[in-house]
Amino acid sequence: MTTLRLVLGDQLNAAHSWFRTPRADVLHVMMEVRSETDYVRHHAQKVLAIFAAMRAFATALQAAGHRVRYLRIGDADNRQSFAANLAQVAAECGATRFERMEADEWRVERLLDEAAQALGLPWEVVGSEHFLADRAELAQRFATKVPRMEFFYRDMRRRHRILLDADGGPVGAAWNFDAHNREKWPGDPPAPDWPWRGHDRSALWDEIVAAGVRTLGAPHADALCWPTSRREARAGLAHFIEHALPHFGRYQDAMSTRSTTLFHSGLSFALNLKLLHPREVIDAAVAAWQAGKVELASCEGFVRQILGWREFVRGVYWARMPGYATGNALDARRPLPAWYWSGDTRMACLRHAIAQSLDTAYAHHIQRLMVTGNFALLAGCDPEAVDAWYLGIYIDAFEWVEMPNTRGMSQFADGGVIASKPYAGAASYIGKQSDYCKACAYDPRRRHGADGGKPACPLNSLYWDFLLRHEARFARNPRMAMPYKAWAKMAPAERAATLAQAARYLERLDTL
């Protein structure tokens, strides 16, 4: 009697009840498969780090006495799909039962259901024992109407008794301190070093290349700077709490050419692989505030990302899939400019954010939302292409968290399920939050034309063109009233010149 238990690459939760006691009648199976490396083109560091973390987890399970069957990407008997490998291993071990955890992605959940049915064995699906909100409950709650994230977040604070006073209200007499967290970083205090030092994964990279896996971005296989074990993830958490969280709040929306990470934690990859539990991350931040080591605004801002936003987008995803994946409310059809894969653009903000992403597989949330996402939104790029780019290039991108952030928050392709307005911005926002504009080939002050040989920043004319293209949808939105009033007050000649400039830029996006 052998139970076959599947452990996926984003299910590396050492605290899961499956792993409390080794059982002779249980065989855990883990696999590196082309069906997962190839459904989009992933960043090289993403493939490297996930495989390295999987291998480390399998080794730890075996050292603890668990039976593990591990299929590497280049193994001759690896049939490169979940269903084929499960059938093969089940036959090898004479499996009489199949068990798996809930998959986080709708696509994978369907594949595994089909694989389980094909096995013809009794089977069971258990929870991942990771998230703070129940998936089925969220899917039912969000099925007809999705609440605004702020109210969901407040409910989660109450439910989990986090940052509450003795009367059950928010500590500090406010639920949200976001207004305190929008400063531009002047260069001081200095941004801390990245917490992880490089591992040499050259041999693993050679295996990946030999297997024919196609990737994007720089592998940096000789010095991979991402956590691939729980020990490394916990060390990264401790580093963040001590060195970055004290300044995270004030500068969480800042961007700079002098630091790619500023005061961000970089923990999303470890969280999404389940090397860390969200509650331990939240508790560490709250403990630092209680000890007087960080201000409440910094603590609350970070807690909101984990307890609020991360759990919220998961609820949206599972309530609205599979239809959510086809949303294109603004009828955006243009392809992404070619420089999204090279960073070869004269726009300094996009050049920096994309080059950084290709080099490190990382950009923080404002770079993703207000630089790369903002341009794609203004230019009317197809959300299908935008989705694939984000899902591939970022090391922490798994569909359940990437898609609501991209189609919803960034591209408004869901028609307002997540956001009450599009997050569109002109050059003034970039200049307010960063130093990108200082060395740019474009003039951030101009909507059209050129001044001393410096042409107008494309973001400015494209911003107004976007508002005019979608005036019927957004003009009556109270949160959009100010820009539409400003447009109405603009001289007719200025409006015409601005729209003409936008049309010229839209005709040659690949050359900007």
Side-chain angles (χ1 to χ4, degrees):
M1 301 289 286
T2 299
T3 296
L4 192 64
R5 286 178 171 173
L6 175 65
V7 181
L8 301 178
D10 61 350
Q11 296 176 339
L12 310 184
N13 179 8
H16 195 279
S17 56
W18 270 5
F19 309 125
R20 287 175 188 161
T21 305
R23 285 174 47 183
D25 63 337
V26 170
L27 177 66
H28 297 95
V29 60
M30 301 179 69
M31 61 186 78
E32 304 163 359
V33 289
R34 290 291 298 272
S35 62
E36 291 305 290
T37 61
D38 294 4
Y39 67 91
V40 295
R41 185 178 290 197
H42 295 286
H43 199 290
Q45 292 177 47
K46 184 178 184 181
V47 180
L48 267 168
I50 292 175
F51 283 5
M54 290 173 65
R55 293 183 182 193
F57 191 77
T59 298
L61 286 182
Q62 289 171 323
H66 296 279
R67 296 172 63 212
V68 178
R69 173 76 159 93
Y70 194 96
L71 287 157
R72 296 188 173 209
I73 191 68
D75 286 348
D77 58 347
N78 186 341
R79 300 177 67 182
Q80 302 299 340
S81 75
F82 291 131
N85 280 333
L86 285 171
Q88 176 177 278
V89 175
E92 289 173 357
C93 70
T96 56
R97 179 177 175 80
F98 173 62
E99 296 178 356
R100 68 173 180 88
M101 300 182 209
E102 288 179 337
D104 289 338
E105 296 185 340
W106 189 89
R107 172 188 62 85
V108 178
E109 191 81 334
R110 300 287 80 75
L111 287 173
L112 295 181
D113 277 350
E114 292 169 3
Q117 291 166 6
L119 284 176
L121 300 174
W123 58 292
E124 180 183 14
V125 180
V126 302
S128 65
E129 300 176 12
H130 173 79
F131 294 96
L132 297 173
D134 179 74
R135 187 171 91 184
E137 179 188 343
L138 287 179
Q140 182 178 15
R141 179 180 174 185
F142 288 10
T144 53
K145 181 176 175 58
V146 175
R148 287 297 164 218
M149 199 286 289
E150 177 65 25
F151 299 109
F152 170 83
Y153 166 60
R154 295 179 187 184
D155 179 63
M156 290 291 284
R157 288 261 299 269
R158 295 186 189 99
R159 182 178 299 193
H160 292 279
R161 302 294 302 170
I162 293 171
L163 293 177
L164 298 182
D165 60 24
D167 297 322
V171 294
W175 290 103
N176 186 318
F177 292 89
D178 197 40
H180 299 262
N181 296 340
R182 296 170 181 167
E183 293 187 30
K184 185 175 182 176
W185 181 56
D188 187 68
D193 293 334
W194 194 238
W196 299 288
R197 295 295 170 260
H199 291 287
D200 189 346
R201 305 293 186 189
S202 300
L204 174 55
W205 178 241
D206 290 344
E207 290 182 53
I208 292 168
V209 172
V213 177
R214 299 176 67 206
T215 60
L216 58 87
H220 294 305
D222 59 343
L224 186 67
C225 296
W226 289 100
T228 57
S229 69
R230 175 159 169 76
R231 178 183 58 80
E232 292 173 357
R234 284 178 58 82
L237 172 60
H239 182 277
F240 167 69
I241 296 296
E242 181 178 355
H243 299 289
L245 183 59
H247 307 293
F248 167 79
R250 291 170 63 192
Y251 304 118
Q252 67 173 290
D253 286 2
M255 300 173 284
S256 177
T257 57
R258 292 168 288 177
S259 173
T260 56
T261 54
L262 289 170
F263 302 95
H264 292 269
S265 73
L267 295 171
S268 50
F269 173 68
L271 275 164
N272 292 350
L273 260 60
K274 303 179 182 60
L275 295 172
L276 293 173
H277 192 280
R279 185 65 199 236
E280 73 178 310
V281 174
I282 291 168
D283 287 348
V286 172
W289 167 69
Q290 291 172 331
K293 296 178 180 179
V294 303
E295 294 180 357
L296 179 58
S298 277
C299 175
E300 185 278 319
F302 182 67
V303 168
R304 184 168 3 108
Q305 288 189 346
I306 308 299
L307 180 66
W309 190 251
R310 185 171 185 263
E311 300 282 337
F312 175 75
V313 296
R314 177 171 172 261
V316 172
Y317 177 82
W318 280 103
R320 299 305 174 98
M321 283 295 283
Y324 198 83
T326 62
N328 191 357
L330 301 184
D331 195 31
R333 302 295 176 186
R334 286 189 180 88
L336 277 173
W339 39 260
Y340 266 72
W341 284 266
S342 68
D344 187 17
T345 171
R346 292 184 297 157
M347 286 178 283
C349 57
L350 282 145
R351 182 173 65 247
H352 183 268
I354 293 171
Q356 170 191 324
S357 301
L358 289 167
D359 187 56
T360 68
Y362 176 80
H364 69 68
H365 68 290
I366 294 299
Q367 291 173 304
R368 300 187 202 193
L369 177 66
M370 297 307 299
V371 180
T372 51
N374 180 49
F375 186 89
L377 174 69
L378 299 183
C381 295
D382 191 332
E384 190 78 18
V386 182
D387 250 346
W389 187 82
Y390 276 95
L391 187 58
I393 200 168
Y394 292 118
I395 195 164
D396 55 5
F398 294 84
E399 192 182 77
W400 67 271
V401 66
E402 172 275 325
M403 186 177 287
N405 273 292
T406 302
R407 285 190 183 256
M409 189 70 170
S410 173
Q411 301 302 296
F412 206 81
D414 65 0
V417 171
I418 282 184
S420 60
K421 74 173 188 68
Y423 278 80
S428 57
Y429 178 87
I430 304 297
K432 179 182 177 183
Q433 296 299 137
S434 78
D435 59 2
Y436 292 154
C437 298
K438 292 180 180 179
C440 190
Y442 293 98
D443 188 341
R445 299 164 299 176
R446 298 184 66 86
R447 298 189 189 99
H448 52 81
D451 184 12
K454 233 182 179 184
C457 174
L459 293 177
N460 291 333
S461 58
L462 293 180
Y463 172 77
W464 291 110
D465 184 76
F466 171 82
L467 292 187
L468 266 291
R469 290 201 312 269
H470 302 292
E471 185 174 14
R473 177 182 285 271
F474 297 128
R476 295 184 181 181
N477 185 325
R479 298 188 67 194
M480 302 288 287
M482 188 176 295
Y484 281 108
K485 287 179 181 177
W487 177 258
K489 293 178 181 178
M490 209 177 289
E494 179 67 16
R495 287 188 286 184
T498 298
L499 295 180
Q501 180 70 81
R504 290 192 292 272
Y505 281 148
L506 289 170
E507 288 176 356
R508 58 179 188 90
L509 290 179
D510 282 343
T511 66
L512 294 182

